[in-house]
Structures are given as C-alpha cells and as structure tokens.
C-alpha cells in the first residue's frame, strides 16, 4: 500500500491498475486494487483524496476545499490600433458589415480583428444585410456598454467631446491646411489628391454622425 501511494504521488499523470502493477515489479492486479481501495479509505476525510477517473487513479484536492486554492487573476489585454478603430466604427455605425468597416477605415480588416472583439464580448453577429450577397453585420453588446460605463449608445462621446480630448486635432489641422493653400501656390493634381485624403481622414474620425441612431 505504501509503495502504491509513493508511486502515485511521484507520477506526473494518473495511472491505471495495470500500470501500477507493472511499475511495482509485476504485482497482481487484484493486490493493487485492494491497496488502492484501502488508500482511498484513508484519504477520504483528508484534504487530498485518492480518486479513480476513467480507470486511472490519482490524487486531487478534496472537493469541499477547492475554493481555498482558487485564485482569480485579472489579465490586462490591450487592443491593437486596428481593433480600437473597428470597435469605434461598430459602436457609432451599427449594424455595420465588414465591407462597410473597411470602407470607413480605408484599409482591409483582418478577420482576426473581429474575432478578438467578439471573444472579448464587445461585438456580436447581428444578422445579415438584405442586399446581394447578404453580408454578415455586426453590433455592440450589453457587455460593451457595461465595460465602458455607458447606459446606451447615446452616451458615446460626440464630435465636440472627441475634439476637446485632442483626438481630432491632427485631422483638423491637416484638413485646414488642405482647404486653405497658399495664395501664391498653384494647386496641382497631387495637391488635389492630398485634399481628398484629408477629407477621407475627417470622415474616418467623425463617428458621431450616426450616434443618435
């Protein structure tokens, strides 16, 4: 019995009766089973129990003491810039399809980005758009509102609040520079493209247009 106990204690994995018998020099299976039953009786009222799971035996914490060993640890997970942008677009324009997200961002969106947000519980599948191809559309969840301390989407910051927080200043400066060229500077085709880029950037950050929906 002591030999069985020592073997199970040192084993990295649960062991069958046959494995124990072979490890202990070819003992009869019946002898090993009898030792296991005797050990299980001795450990029945202790902090560690000897149990059989799927015909394999191992020691485990007594069920009534498991809560003493459980520890909760907060894991900080930072969103990437792409995930942050996608979350903002979904929040201000929901329900929105992946193609619409990419149109607003101006770049393709990796599927993994949406998966991360769904895994976090902040966005969800909200059906399909009734257009050719019936693309999947996304929306925020109650967990999203709870995490960010919002009662509803109407509590999302508006354009003035975003500008006051300094989030729109670089875009505003670029737009103003594009819209007011130097009088002596002749606008070329390249300048026209820059102006369009500035307007697209403004559209990217002006998420509040649909926030009252």
């Amino acid at each position: 019995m002591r030999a069985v106990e020592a073997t199970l204690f040192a084993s990295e994995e649960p062991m069958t009766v046959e494995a124990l018998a072979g490890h202990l020099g070819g003992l009869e299976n019946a002898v090993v089973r009898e030792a296991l039953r005797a050990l299980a009786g001795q450990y029945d009222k202790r902090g560690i129990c000897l149990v059989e799971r799927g015909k394999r035996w191992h020691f485990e914490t007594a069920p009534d003491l498991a809560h003493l060993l459980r520890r909760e640890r907060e894991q900080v997970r930072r969103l990437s810039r792409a995930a942050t942008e996608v979350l903002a677009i979904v929040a201000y324009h929901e329900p929105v399809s992946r193609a619409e997200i990419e149109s607003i961002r101006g770049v393709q969106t990796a599927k993994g980005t949406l998966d991360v947000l769904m895994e976090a519980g902040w966005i969800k599948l909200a059906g399909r758009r009734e257009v050719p191809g019936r693309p999947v559309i996304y929306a925020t969840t109650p967990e999203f509102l709870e995490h960010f301390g919002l009662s509803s989407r109407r509590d999302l910051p508006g354009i003035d609040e975003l500008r006051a927080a300094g989030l729109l200043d670089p875009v505003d400066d670029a737009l103003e520079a594009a819209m007011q060229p130097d009088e002596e500077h002749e606008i070329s085709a390249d300048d026209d493209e820059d102006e369009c880029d500035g307007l697209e950037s403004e559209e990217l950050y002006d998420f509040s247009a649909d926030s009252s929906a």
Side-chain angles (χ1 to χ4, degrees), residues 77 79-80 82-84 86-87 90 98 101 109-125 136 138-139 141:
R77 301 179 61 185
L79 288 180
S80 65
T84 302
V86 170
L87 180 61
V90 174
R98 179 175 174 179
I101 293 172
T109 299
K111 183 179 183 298
T113 301
L114 292 168
D115 290 341
V116 167
L117 294 174
M118 287 193 289
E119 182 181 346
W122 292 345
I123 68 172
K124 64 180 179 181
L125 299 178
V136 171
Y138 301 89
T141 64

Side-chain angles (χ1 to χ4, degrees), residues 15-83:
M15 299 183 67
T16 63
V17 170
E18 293 75 16
L20 282 166
H23 183 80
L24 296 175
L27 290 177
E28 294 183 3
N29 292 345
V31 173
V32 175
R33 289 194 184 93
E34 183 179 353
L36 287 168
R37 285 194 291 268
L39 279 174
Q42 289 186 8
Y43 278 94
D44 186 48
K45 301 299 182 181
R46 302 179 65 176
I48 297 175
C49 297
L50 178 60
V51 297
E52 181 185 15
R53 299 284 187 267
K55 296 184 178 181
R56 299 195 302 173
W57 291 79
H58 72 281
F59 289 106
E60 67 178 26
T61 304
D64 62 318
L65 299 178
H67 68 283
L68 298 177
L69 304 179
R70 186 177 295 115
R71 295 291 182 270
E72 295 183 3
R73 182 177 62 182
E74 182 177 351
Q75 182 178 6
V76 178
R77 301 179 61 185
R78 299 187 183 279
L79 288 180
S80 65
R81 178 176 177 178

Side-chain angles (χ1 to χ4, degrees), residues 70-169:
R70 186 177 295 115
R71 295 291 182 270
E72 295 183 3
R73 182 177 62 182
E74 182 177 351
Q75 182 178 6
V76 178
R77 301 179 61 185
R78 299 187 183 279
L79 288 180
S80 65
R81 178 176 177 178
T84 302
E85 291 177 356
V86 170
L87 180 61
I89 291 171
V90 174
Y92 281 100
H93 293 274
E94 67 178 78
V96 61
S97 68
R98 179 175 174 179
E100 291 165 341
I101 293 172
E102 293 176 345
S103 177
I104 295 173
R105 292 188 65 218
V107 296
Q108 289 187 343
T109 299
K111 183 179 183 298
T113 301
L114 292 168
D115 290 341
V116 167
L117 294 174
M118 287 193 289
E119 182 181 346
W122 292 345
I123 68 172
K124 64 180 179 181
L125 299 178
R128 293 182 177 273
R129 183 83 70 200
E130 294 301 328
V131 296
R134 303 187 70 241
V136 171
I137 53 179
Y138 301 89
T140 54
T141 64
E143 288 76 15
F144 164 79
L145 297 176
E146 180 180 353
H147 181 85
F148 289 96
L150 304 172
S151 298
S152 69
R153 288 178 56 236
R154 291 185 176 85
D155 294 331
L156 287 167
I159 188 73
D160 293 334
E161 293 173 279
L162 293 175
R163 183 179 289 111
L167 298 178
L168 300 184
D169 290 348

Side-chain angles (χ1 to χ4, degrees), residues 192-213:
D192 187 52
E193 291 179 1
D194 291 341
E195 182 175 341
C196 291
D197 289 342
L199 290 173
E200 290 174 357
S201 296
E202 175 67 14
E203 181 182 0
L204 171 64
Y205 283 84
D206 186 7
F207 294 137
S208 63
D210 201 29
S211 62
S212 60

